Amino acid sequence: MPLIATPQTMHFPDALPLQSGAVIRDYQLAFETYGRLDAVRSNAVLVCHALNASHHVAGVYAGQDRSEGWWDNMIGPGKPVDTERFFVICVNNLGSCFGSTGPMHRHPDTGAVYGADFPVVTVEDWVDAQARLLDRLGIGQLAAVLGGSLGGMQALSWTLQYPERVRHAVVVASAPNLTAENIAFNEVARRAIVTDPDFHGGHFYRHGVIPKRGLRIARMIGHITYLSDDVMNEKFGRQLRAGLALKYSTQDVEFQIESYLRYQGDKFSDYFDANTYLLITRALDYFDPARAHDGSLARALARASARFLLVSFSTDWRFAPRRSREIVRALLDNCRSVSYAEIDAPHGHDAFLLDDARYMGVMRSYFDGIAKELP
Amino acid sequence: MPLIATPQTMHFPDALPLQSGAVIRDYQLAFETYGRLDAVRSNAVLVCHALNASHHVAGVYAGQDRSEGWWDNMIGPGKPVDTERFFVICVNNLGSCFGSTGPMHRHPDTGAVYGADFPVVTVEDWVDAQARLLDRLGIGQLAAVLGGSLGGMQALSWTLQYPERVRHAVVVASAPNLTAENIAFNEVARRAIVTDPDFHGGHFYRHGVIPKRGLRIARMIGHITYLSDDVMNEKFGRQLRAGLALKYSTQDVEFQIESYLRYQGDKFSDYFDANTYLLITRALDYFDPARAHDGSLARALARASARFLLVSFSTDWRFAPRRSREIVRALLDNCRSVSYAEIDAPHGHDAFLLDDARYMGVMRSYFDGIAKELP
């Protein structure tokens, strides 16, 4: 009997002040919950999503067998984050294109579609919006906040913005900020979108077009950085498409890897919003809790009082293990409780979404421990 | 007194058969030579160029002080490849956009600009074309063939296509073939160019436009892969442009690395030909001497009789040291003479073009040894 997910939305009339100085009001957030909140409201786990995911983190939609949530291997009845014990919440972030208010929606004052005028949102803004949603659900303190990649940045930020509201933070395949190389890849992807003639300065909706060329390139770049060199060689290597002889063409597909990337790019450009892509990559670029502390991550993390689990993957070159170790070290400098697992997995950054017995074991064990603390 | 370089061209009326089965005839090659060929024609060194370089490898053009060749730190009077002792030749490859026949030239039969109809050329084709040019210069055997990156692939291929014509091969920052990840980056760059509306299927010349958007993206991707994560962090890190406060914008430059990449992309799109970019990246993809030997590089290299120097750089993730070691191992399996230097340098793939005392020392010492063998 699969877990049935039911998407919900919540409307927020009041203005949310954003880091940029702008405000957003009359917005809505899409979210899903799984399991039951216990009588003393102590078993809530907030899951934060990464770049291209949504609030649909677990279960399937009724009557749609193949609609599993993006972390359904991790979250559900009897799974590492056990929805028989925890009340799990996942919120689609502001600016996304999966149900929460985003660039394709209308500004409440002008009635015009936001487009490129949607305010720039940051990790901190998302956390503030999530906190207001939790307020409305009557959840004061989280048993845990959990996220991978950009989701891990939100989990980390929760412990700094609302330290008293987080008992545990589980930060997977993440980093305390982006490196220059990370920003560089984001920038190339953004330039591909922004310079697509169908982008129209971000107001492509009113022209009835979509900057698909740019989105395809952005996704292809992203995909390369999610995978490890090893797993690419193992999955595709230098295999020719369908094992045929060389065509000697600069524009046709010759190698399997080309075919795979083009397919991923095409698929993505059919469902993802270009302005959302810009907003979310920018939120990644901006995240840097140490910035306000002269670059000292240790001082930045002094505010955190949660207990932490950090997980990284050996072949993840986008958010390499050394980046997780920086967080571990800064927490230890503050004498915080922190567990750290560095998983030897071949799949690169993607590993955080995949089944790996050791990874799943670490997560299960940590959440078992959290469950034991529940009243 | 600087070395003065004088570009030359040579016309080839006869058909050159290409690996694809096509032929090219009535083509010209641009080249430069430095130093003097000795009486017994024993001191010639052929330098092969990489993706975006030309035949102008050393010296300056008369009256143009800042026109140094792309490897001027390596080649010249008293330099590691000493033009007082060696006669150095560098040939612009077919399909390039710096003087040799390429996509922007006219087909000799039809009089139409080649554009996308320029035949696909491979590393092996370039080597064949270089060999014909050496024939015309009266050079039977090379003291050495030298190249970095794609140039190193040509140097390696020389030892397989014309083993008796090469005494030494110096292969720097290269690989026996591209990995799936390398091909993937090339493919994204090509898609950016090909899907630029100004590409017009490769016949943009006749439309009076240039697919600059695509070229910019291609170059930005390339640039990221030439540099190491370390050197990017050191040079740019998370520095904001001009040290200003955050602008909170998805389209404006915020970080120095963005500014740098945009500048590199703009500059490149002003001088490089889009069809040439496709051709040269495809030549990189195709190179794989082991392909004809069931994937055995050792068997592929059995034909080589040259003595070898291989050089790699510790932080080069585009052509990582392990790829050079594969060549070293395959040569040793054939009991060939091979020296190998793995230089601990922070600059990534770009290191092969930069001054590094240990690197320069290795090169100087190896070429000194070659010079001592000269009559």
Side-chain angles (χ1 to χ4, degrees), chain A residues 81-249:
Chain A
V81 181
D82 189 350
T83 52
E84 306 283 1
R85 303 199 273 184
F86 294 108
F87 178 65
V88 176
I89 308 137
C90 187
V91 185
N92 188 217
N93 285 324
L94 273 173
S96 180
C97 50
F98 296 117
S100 292
T101 298
M104 69 297 302
H105 295 117
R106 291 181 188 281
H107 192 291
D109 291 342
T110 64
V113 171
Y114 280 108
D117 299 327
F118 194 86
V120 167
V121 281
T122 63
V123 165
E124 288 81 357
D125 295 332
W126 288 334
V127 167
D128 283 340
Q130 291 158 7
R132 289 180 175 211
L133 186 136
L134 294 186
D135 291 343
R136 294 263 295 270
L137 294 178
I139 296 165
Q141 192 184 54
L142 292 164
V145 58
L146 160 65
S149 190
L150 175 58
M153 289 175 167
Q154 292 162 61
L156 181 59
S157 205
W158 258 98
T159 69
L160 308 178
Q161 293 175 249
Y162 300 97
E164 73 291 347
R165 293 184 73 166
V166 185
R167 294 203 296 280
H168 291 269
V170 179
V171 178
V172 183
S174 196
N177 61 29
L178 294 195
T179 64
E181 188 183 80
N182 292 147
I183 296 172
F185 279 120
N186 282 346
E187 169 68 0
V188 182
R190 281 192 298 263
R191 293 314 290 167
I193 290 170
V194 166
T195 63
D196 184 329
D198 287 336
F199 184 66
H200 294 288
H203 294 291
F204 51 90
Y205 316 98
R206 64 176 76 141
H207 292 84
V209 292
I210 292 170
K212 286 201 172 196
R213 286 174 291 244
L215 278 165
R216 281 192 201 105
I217 298 295
R219 182 55 163 181
M220 291 170 88
I221 294 170
H223 231 84
I224 297 174
T225 67
Y226 303 151
L227 299 178
S228 69
D229 194 17
D230 286 353
V231 85
M232 271 192 155
N233 280 328
E234 194 188 301
K235 279 176 85 165
F236 306 104
R238 297 183 49 83
Q239 283 171 65
L240 300 178
R241 191 180 186 185
L244 300 170
L246 292 177
K247 289 185 230 172
Y248 293 102
S249 162

Side-chain angles (χ1 to χ4, degrees), chain A residues 19-20 116 120 122 177-181 183-185 187-188 190-192 194-195 197 199 201-202 213 217 220-221 224 227-229 232-233 236-238 246-255 257-258 261-262 278-279 282 285-288 291 317 322, chain B residues 19-20 116 120 122 177-181 183-185 187-188 190-192 194-195 197 199 201-202 213 217 220-221 224 227-229 232-233 236-238 246-255 257-258 261-262 278-279 282 285-288 291 317 322:
Chain A
Q19 278 211 309
S20 65
V120 167
T122 63
N177 61 29
L178 294 195
T179 64
E181 188 183 80
I183 296 172
F185 279 120
E187 169 68 0
V188 182
R190 281 192 298 263
R191 293 314 290 167
V194 166
T195 63
F199 184 66
R213 286 174 291 244
I217 298 295
M220 291 170 88
I221 294 170
I224 297 174
L227 299 178
S228 69
D229 194 17
M232 271 192 155
N233 280 328
F236 306 104
R238 297 183 49 83
L246 292 177
K247 289 185 230 172
Y248 293 102
S249 162
T250 56
Q251 298 187 37
D252 292 348
V253 165
E254 284 276 30
F255 298 93
I257 180 66
E258 297 176 301
L261 285 178
R262 288 194 195 185
L278 304 187
L279 287 167
R282 229 9 165 185
D285 292 355
Y286 284 135
F287 184 68
D288 188 11
R291 188 195 299 125
W317 60 279
R322 67 183 168 77
Chain B
Q19 278 211 309
S20 66
V120 167
T122 63
N177 61 30
L178 294 195
T179 64
E181 187 183 80
I183 296 172
F185 280 120
E187 171 66 2
V188 182
R190 281 191 298 264
R191 293 315 288 168
V194 166
T195 63
F199 183 66
R213 287 174 289 244
I217 298 295
M220 290 169 89
I221 295 169
I224 297 173
L227 299 179
S228 69
D229 194 17
M232 271 190 153
N233 280 330
F236 307 104
R238 296 182 50 81
L246 292 176
K247 288 186 231 174
Y248 293 102
S249 163
T250 58
Q251 298 186 36
D252 291 347
V253 164
E254 284 275 31
F255 298 93
I257 181 67
E258 298 176 302
L261 284 178
R262 289 193 194 186
L278 304 185
L279 288 166
R282 226 13 163 183
D285 291 355
Y286 283 137
F287 184 68
D288 188 10
R291 189 195 296 125
W317 59 280
R322 67 182 169 78

Side-chain angles (χ1 to χ4, degrees), chain B residues 46-93:
Chain B
L46 177 70
V47 181
C48 305
H49 72 74
L51 205 157
N52 62 320
S54 74
H55 48 289
H56 182 44
V57 66
V60 294
Y61 293 133
Q64 298 176 46
D65 283 352
R66 301 184 59 182
S67 61
E68 287 88 1
W70 55 268
W71 221 352
D72 189 61
N73 57 342
M74 183 68 76
I75 297 161
K79 294 182 180 174
V81 181
D82 187 351
T83 52
E84 306 280 3
R85 302 199 275 184
F86 294 109
F87 177 66
V88 175
I89 308 138
C90 187
V91 185
N92 188 217
N93 284 324

Side-chain angles (χ1 to χ4, degrees), chain A residues 50-52 149 186 218-229 231-232 260 264 268 277 281 284 315-319 346-354, chain B residues 181:
Chain A
L51 203 156
N52 62 321
S149 190
N186 282 346
R219 182 55 163 181
M220 291 170 88
I221 294 170
H223 231 84
I224 297 174
T225 67
Y226 303 151
L227 299 178
S228 69
D229 194 17
V231 85
M232 271 192 155
Y260 172 79
Q264 295 293 341
F268 188 70
Y277 201 89
T281 54
L284 275 160
T315 58
D316 182 353
W317 60 279
R318 188 184 174 98
F319 291 125
H347 307 98
H349 189 59
D350 255 8
F352 91 86
L353 295 168
L354 302 176
Chain B
E181 187 183 80

